[in-house]
Amino acid sequence: MAKKESAPKAKEKVSLGDLVDRTAKRMKGEVTKSVVDSVAHAFLDEIGAALVNKEPVVFVGKFALVPVWRAERTASNPQNREQKVTVPAHWALRVKPGKNLLDEMGS
């Protein structure tokens, strides 16, 4: 019997520090690492502020971060399938990949 082919594993996570290092190297000395770090943190703060205000954040061709409202629903308790629990209504975040990103990933 042939073995079932498994999906390829994702690589290690890339941290904010890794992105700052990569960006600073890419800038080839035009800006310091500390400036890149400050800009990255300010950029993330602005994204967070927009999402808190329920504003979608769109990077055309790459991805969109879209706040979505989830209505109250009934679900099964994963530890006891017979027991039903109410999941309260809440805001969630949807990540929608863009066409260019999907093409780059080879999807």
Side-chain angles (χ1 to χ4, degrees):
M1 183 191 267
K3 269 192 167 179
K4 187 176 179 182
E5 191 174 328
S6 61
K9 295 199 187 252
K11 296 183 179 182
E12 265 188 56
K13 293 179 184 177
V14 178
S15 70
L16 179 59
D18 295 333
L19 293 174
V20 167
D21 289 342
R22 291 178 186 184
T23 304
K25 285 178 187 171
R26 190 173 185 173
M27 298 302 293
K28 297 179 184 161
E30 293 176 30
V31 293
T32 64
K33 184 176 169 182
S34 65
V35 170
V36 173
D37 186 65
S38 294
V39 169
H41 280 87
F43 184 71
L44 291 176
D45 288 346
E46 290 302 319
I47 291 171
L51 294 172
V52 165
N53 289 326
K54 313 303 184 274
E55 300 169 299
V57 177
V58 180
F59 298 94
V60 176
K62 295 297 183 183
F63 60 89
L65 304 172
V66 182
V68 291
W69 180 251
R70 302 279 189 220
E72 182 178 284
R73 64 186 176 91
T74 303
S76 297
N77 179 343
Q79 294 178 345
N80 177 0
R81 295 285 178 191
E82 302 298 316
Q83 181 184 18
K84 301 298 180 192
V85 294
T86 300
V87 178
H90 63 279
W91 283 96
L93 188 62
R94 178 182 296 156
V95 179
K96 297 170 72 174
K99 183 181 181 332
N100 294 350
L101 180 61
L102 291 173
D103 290 346
E104 290 169 9
M105 291 178 69
S107 301

